[in-house]
Amino acid sequence: MNLDTLSLQQFGQPLSDITDSQVFELLLQVVKSKSDALPLNNGKKRLYYISAEFLIGKLLSNNLINLGIYNDVKEQLSKAGHSLEDVEELEVEPSLGNGGLGRLAACFIDSMSTLGLPGDGVGLMYHFGLFHQKFLNRQQTTVPDAWVSDDKWLEDEKTSFTVEFRDFSVTSELYSIDVLGYCREKKNRLRLFDLQTIDESLVSDDAIDFDKTALKKNLTLFLYPDDSDEDGQLLRVYQQYFMVSNAAQLIVKEAVERGSNVHDLADYVVIQINDTHPTMVIPELIRILTEKYGISFEESVDIVSSLVAYTNHTILAEALEKWPLKFIEKVSPKIASIIKKLDEHIRSTISDPSVQIIIDNKVHMANLAIHYGFSINGVAALHTKILEETELKPFFDLYPEKFSNKTNGITFRRWLMGCNPELAEYLDVLLGDSWRASAHLEELLAYRDNDEVLNKLQEIKQAAKDRMSRFLQDNQNAKVINDSIIDVQVKRFHEYKRQQMLLLYLIWKYFDIKSGHLPKHPITVIFGGKAAPAYVAAQDIIHAILVLSSLIANDADVSPYLQVIMIENYNVTAAEHVIPAAEISEQISLASKEASGTSNMKFMLNGAVTVCTVDGANVEIADLVGEKNIYTFGASSDEVVNLYECKGYKVQEFYEKPEIKPLVDFLISPEFISLGNEERLERLHKNLCSEDWFMTLLDLEVYIATKERVFDDYEDRRSWLQKSLVNIAMAGTFSSDRTIAEYNDEIWHLTPDK
Ligand code: G1P
């Protein structure tokens, strides 16, 4: 493929003379013509991965990599004076996800294609995504993230279904995006349902509120619309039913086209539901089998129960959905009546009230998915253990055979080859390129004492730091201090993830520098992430971080040594810049609360050293790299569970400590308040010293001590680079290809299309 010739044909000008947007157009055509020509992965049995979110990121580079033409394209462009990086900037990032849950779904569909497994992602096409985050007066504001009209990848499948609600019906329109596998000649698709009558004009440019009752026009406007009132909650149920009714109709239609007589549907279909949002696919399939195919209720239940598998991603009660039965009755009386029948069956056979489906007139979606699915899995070993032994113990006692663990993973195409090409190329030099398919990096350990290799890793890290600095400068005019240590916490804002603990550490560090203890290297701490619009406490934390960032920047004594940058509108694109540059990875959730985490895996793969609590997949990372190459601290999961159970955490006792009180109180000091919003800061202060539900103060002192040890150790450059090397070498386990192979071997049983 010669881009110069293509450019002459298309624009009548050589590649060197066309603009970056013309190059972008050209590359799109190249990728599209290649991917259009690829057939779908085929097989009698097909997987449908239904998820409310797919945080897929930009697709151009990823597709070039998977088509095996990335290096060639990059070289041709560079010879003609273009940079692929600049061209990529022109692509708009789809806004179809929020955090780890959605990014996991994106990694999974990439791996499914790479392994040749016949299966698609199924979700909704949100016109304005979650929201676009903007900072105004050091606070998060939310505006619509319009992306659909600029997107270049969506194809109209020209397929529609009717979805019947109680009071009206609507028609859908199915769009899809090709999902290419790494060096594979077949593909899968991400299939996104839109509402034919969607009305973007319900939303103005500068706010994300809209008429939540205009259901015939609003179902696919936003991901997770504000559910702080009843209209918002109802809208979510309407959205979920819209998603699963379309999915179920599509799934049955395609199975029949492949030869199913519907009684044998489970030989043709397996459905993985990502968290509880798609749970209503169970009653919806039962409805279709009974109503449309005249199959008895009992047989329909058996069929559906043998083809639906559920992944749990959290033990937080707030995220285990429980919808009032009356909402489901309002959306679809038929679905409500099927759920009631399923619930009655459980009541008549199992006496334990905690496993019932309808409890206090609320439908417990996870309970429904566990009883009427054939598999339930957690996403890291510790998380699965907590599910089995604590959170879902009564279910584990009933159905031990349904439970398994599938530790999460990440695709190395995007999180190494795409975002850190220098490191990927250097690994080729050291290990040969077979790691690109196998993800085996352990041979790198042989270079642990090789100074040339360690120095080269340092050089690569520096190049990534420079690239990130340019990105932050261009995007939000933030200037990273030269030669500073890059310390990063990027993830959805939630109190259990404890961004507020890093905030309190930073206050400690600010005081320490003020008192004359100057760090040997300057430190740049980078945060990124969004807070849900109805989650005030998380927004308060963002506000305090932005205030501290300004306060430090305005302080001439401290600003040369410490800076805090909060990335505006953190998304996959920002992650691709920050993760390769990071030297310290912050994974500081309250033990037991983070199911797995996946940024921890991305950071280690790119050579950052992890500072973490013993939570989620951090446990597995620590086992792999060994204690010398990771910094763990804090209360263990058992201790935390115990504290909750016996109400043993007394926050006041920690707050009153002379080491802690000044740090927390600084949030309401005149200096802090002069830059911020008093109400927000006081609320955050009160929350921390009188409730602190996620036990920030419990771990704060040991966290501060650990961080200081980390910064000291950083000064021994050789030993730090050795830690970094070990982390890269041991990251292979966390390839999502491994995870997906496990799902397939143990749950889906699909035959890969060769
Ligand atoms: C959630 C969990 C996280 C897990 C991810 C994927 O992500 O909290 O531990 O790694 O699902 O399984 P979140 O949406 O919180 O980012």
Side-chain angles (χ1 to χ4, degrees):
M1 175 208 44
N2 186 315
L3 291 176
D4 206 40
T5 316
L6 290 176
S7 172
L8 283 166
Q9 280 166 4
Q10 174 88 9
F11 302 111
Q13 284 174 306
L15 189 59
S16 53
D17 289 2
I18 62 174
T19 63
D20 278 351
S21 22
Q22 289 172 311
V23 174
F24 180 54
E25 228 178 278
L26 208 64
L27 294 181
L28 265 176
Q29 282 171 21
V30 168
V31 171
K32 282 206 160 183
S33 66
K34 285 185 186 289
S35 78
D36 285 349
L38 297 179
L40 296 173
N41 280 303
N42 247 315
K44 177 177 168 189
K45 188 172 180 184
R46 220 177 158 75
L47 166 78
Y48 295 85
Y49 191 91
I50 310 181
S51 175
E53 304 182 30
F54 286 93
L55 194 52
I56 53 180
K58 294 181 182 182
L59 294 174
L60 180 63
S61 282
N62 202 63
N63 284 342
L64 290 171
I65 290 170
N66 284 355
L67 287 167
I69 55 175
Y70 179 85
N71 286 341
D72 179 26
V73 165
K74 199 171 168 182
E75 226 168 85
Q76 291 193 43
L77 290 185
S78 127
K79 277 192 189 140
H82 295 283
S83 119
L84 182 52
E85 226 181 283
D86 293 345
V87 174
E88 275 177 329
E89 293 294 319
L90 301 169
E91 186 177 348
V92 177
E93 180 176 326
S95 189
L96 292 168
N98 178 13
L101 177 86
R103 186 51 235 175
L104 184 80
C107 286
F108 278 9
I109 54 176
D110 181 292
S111 284
M112 277 150 49
S113 281
T114 295
L115 299 183
L117 300 176
D120 296 326
V122 182
L124 293 183
M125 196 174 92
Y126 312 100
H127 286 238
F128 299 115
L130 186 70
F131 58 81
H132 184 102
Q133 178 191 57
K134 284 196 168 161
F135 299 142
L136 192 70
N137 299 328
R138 307 188 178 94
Q139 303 190 47
Q140 167 179 288
T141 60
T142 53
V143 294
D145 196 358
W147 65 280
V148 170
S149 50
D150 294 321
D151 185 85
K152 306 289 184 211
W153 305 101
L154 288 163
E155 300 285 347
D156 189 344
E157 281 199 38
K158 306 258 185 286
T159 300
S160 295
F161 298 104
T162 303
V163 176
E164 283 176 20
F165 298 112
R166 185 188 72 179
D167 299 326
F168 60 97
S169 57
V170 295
T171 310
S172 65
E173 188 66 46
L174 176 58
Y175 291 86
S176 65
I177 296 177
D178 283 348
V179 181
L180 311 183
Y182 181 58
C183 298
R184 290 269 321 169
E185 283 169 11
K186 295 196 175 177
K187 68 183 175 194
N188 291 326
R189 285 173 294 179
L190 170 58
R191 309 177 83 184
L192 302 169
F193 285 100
D194 196 6
L195 182 68
Q196 238 179 34
T197 45
I198 192 74
D199 184 357
E200 290 195 359
S201 72
L202 288 182
V203 180
S204 67
D205 287 349
D206 55 0
I208 59 167
D209 47 330
F210 60 97
D211 180 358
K212 290 184 205 153
T213 61
L215 297 159
K216 286 187 200 163
K217 303 176 183 179
N218 69 12
L219 289 179
T220 50
L221 288 176
F222 285 98
L223 164 66
Y224 304 141
D226 175 15
D227 64 349
S228 54
D229 59 15
E230 190 167 318
D231 284 342
Q233 290 159 20
L234 258 173
L235 173 56
R236 289 212 188 180
V237 181
Y238 274 105
Q239 252 191 350
Q240 292 185 359
Y241 184 60
F242 179 72
M243 174 170 77
V244 301
S245 176
N246 276 302
Q249 294 183 66
L250 176 76
I251 289 166
V252 174
K253 172 178 167 276
E254 293 189 341
V256 169
E257 283 165 5
R258 285 197 304 282
S260 169
N261 64 16
V262 189
H263 292 274
D264 58 1
L265 195 61
D267 296 338
Y268 287 80
V269 169
V270 56
I271 296 174
Q272 188 72 43
I273 61 176
N274 200 25
D275 239 350
T276 51
H277 318 110
T279 307
M280 277 188 287
V281 76
I282 293 171
E284 176 63 1
L285 277 170
I286 294 173
R287 182 191 71 77
I288 293 174
L289 296 189
T290 50
E291 269 185 15
K292 194 166 166 203
Y293 293 91
I295 298 178
S296 73
F297 187 80
E298 291 67 28
E299 190 191 343
S300 300
V301 172
D302 286 347
I303 296 171
V304 174
S305 306
S306 59
L307 60 81
V308 174
Y310 157 57
T311 305
N312 173 284
H313 296 265
T314 183
I315 61 159
L316 292 192
E318 70 193 44
L320 287 167
E321 292 176 298
K322 299 168 194 72
W323 293 119
L325 181 62
K326 64 172 192 217
F327 285 8
I328 298 182
E329 272 162 350
K330 178 138 201 220
V331 172
S332 167
K334 288 178 181 172
I335 294 301
S337 120
I338 293 171
I339 292 175
K340 279 197 256 177
K341 266 180 136 175
L342 297 175
D343 176 60
E344 274 157 26
H345 177 71
I346 298 298
R347 277 169 200 277
S348 66
T349 48
I350 305 166
S351 55
D352 180 354
S354 75
V355 301
Q356 283 155 11
I357 295 171
I358 303 173
I359 303 172
D360 295 336
N361 290 315
K362 286 193 173 159
V363 180
H364 288 231
M365 306 310 267
N367 299 9
L368 175 58
I370 300 170
H371 285 302
Y372 292 100
F374 70 94
S375 157
I376 148 129
N377 72 282
V379 290
L382 175 66
H383 171 228
T384 302
K385 182 171 174 283
I386 293 173
L387 293 181
E388 292 177 353
E389 293 177 1
T390 316
E391 294 300 315
L392 298 177
K393 184 170 186 309
F395 289 96
F396 182 60
D397 290 344
L398 279 173
Y399 314 116
E401 72 291 346
K402 289 192 188 183
F403 280 69
S404 74
N405 176 55
K406 300 285 169 285
T407 297
N408 281 342
I410 55 171
T411 163
F412 285 23
R413 270 74 65 186
R414 185 173 292 270
W415 297 112
L416 177 53
M417 300 178 208
C419 72
N420 202 344
E422 290 87 352
L423 179 57
E425 279 159 30
Y426 190 51
L427 292 172
D428 288 344
V429 172
L430 297 176
L431 314 176
D433 64 4
S434 62
W435 67 269
R436 287 179 183 255
S438 68
H440 290 159
L441 296 168
E442 275 184 54
E443 285 165 27
L444 187 62
L445 290 177
Y447 297 95
R448 212 175 160 274
D449 297 314
N450 182 322
D451 286 317
E452 199 187 319
V453 171
L454 295 174
N455 289 337
K456 181 72 186 171
L457 288 179
Q458 163 139 297
E459 232 176 74
I460 290 170
K461 185 58 79 181
Q462 188 56 49
K465 286 164 75 167
D466 294 344
R467 214 169 45 241
M468 177 195 71
S469 301
R470 284 197 299 276
F471 174 81
L472 292 173
Q473 173 82 63
D474 294 349
N475 280 273
Q476 59 187 80
N477 208 15
K479 192 167 171 12
V480 177
I481 305 176
N482 236 347
D483 199 28
S484 55
I485 304 174
I486 304 296
D487 179 352
V488 187
Q489 186 176 25
V490 281
K491 46 187 83 246
R492 198 161 66 79
F493 268 75
H494 197 293
E495 288 162 283
Y496 86 77
K497 297 182 190 269
R498 298 199 296 191
Q499 283 95 349
Q500 69 275 19
M501 192 159 75
L502 178 48
L503 168 76
L504 291 173
Y505 166 77
L506 286 164
I507 293 175
W508 180 88
K509 193 73 182 168
Y510 171 77
F511 289 164
D512 197 46
I513 296 174
K514 274 284 204 204
S515 75
H517 291 133
L518 305 183
K520 298 195 184 81
H521 263 89
I523 300 163
T524 297
V525 173
I526 297 178
F527 290 92
K530 295 177 178 177
Y535 190 0
V536 174
Q539 285 161 41
D540 292 345
I541 296 169
I542 291 183
H543 177 57
I545 289 170
L546 289 167
V547 169
L548 184 67
S549 169
S550 302
L551 191 142
I552 293 175
N554 295 339
D555 187 319
D557 298 337
V558 179
S559 58
Y561 307 101
L562 182 65
Q563 82 178 141
V564 179
I565 296 177
M566 171 86 196
I567 299 173
E568 196 169 41
N569 198 42
Y570 179 70
N571 58 8
V572 179
T573 309
E576 286 164 356
H577 286 87
V578 174
I579 286 169
E583 293 169 296
I584 299 171
S585 156
E586 300 278 351
Q587 309 296 337
I588 57 177
S589 52
L590 175 64
S592 81
K593 295 293 179 195
E594 187 70 274
S596 162
T598 44
S599 78
N600 44 7
M601 302 168 185
K602 294 165 200 164
F603 282 116
M604 84 181 283
L605 178 61
N606 284 275
V609 178
T610 312
V611 177
C612 64
T613 48
V614 187
D615 201 14
N618 302 342
V619 178
E620 285 150 83
I621 296 178
D623 284 348
L624 285 163
V625 301
E627 60 186 22
K628 281 195 186 141
N629 301 301
I630 192 164
Y631 295 85
T632 52
F633 70 93
S636 70
S637 155
D638 285 346
E639 284 162 349
V640 170
V641 170
N642 195 34
L643 281 175
Y644 276 119
E645 270 169 12
C646 62
K647 300 199 169 42
Y649 178 54
K650 305 275 180 281
V651 64
Q652 284 289 335
E653 288 169 16
F654 289 89
Y655 169 64
E656 292 300 340
K657 287 186 170 190
E659 295 80 8
I660 292 184
K661 192 168 187 300
L663 308 179
V664 181
D665 287 351
F666 191 56
L667 294 170
I668 48 164
S669 64
E671 291 139 281
F672 224 86
I673 286 180
S674 70
L675 291 169
N677 172 302
E678 196 165 346
E679 190 189 335
R680 281 198 183 280
L681 295 171
E682 278 184 348
R683 189 168 45 218
L684 175 61
H685 178 265
K686 183 159 175 249
N687 190 337
L688 278 169
C689 59
S690 63
E691 185 178 19
D692 192 21
W693 182 248
F694 295 103
M695 304 181 191
T696 316
L697 305 189
L698 173 74
D699 284 338
L700 182 59
E701 280 178 279
V702 54
Y703 177 52
I704 293 172
T706 309
K707 295 272 304 185
E708 289 308 285
R709 195 153 57 83
V710 171
F711 290 126
D712 278 349
D713 289 358
Y714 183 88
E715 295 309 318
D716 182 346
R717 296 306 299 140
R718 187 166 194 275
S719 123
W720 183 270
L721 290 165
Q722 287 177 320
K723 293 185 208 304
S724 170
L725 177 144
V726 172
N727 273 274
I728 300 169
M730 301 314 290
T733 304
F734 300 111
S735 158
S736 48
D737 297 348
R738 186 269 311 149
T739 315
I740 288 300
E742 286 178 6
Y743 273 91
N744 193 44
D745 291 346
E746 294 163 31
I747 302 176
W748 303 335
H749 308 297
L750 304 165
T751 312
D753 191 346
K754 294 290 176 207

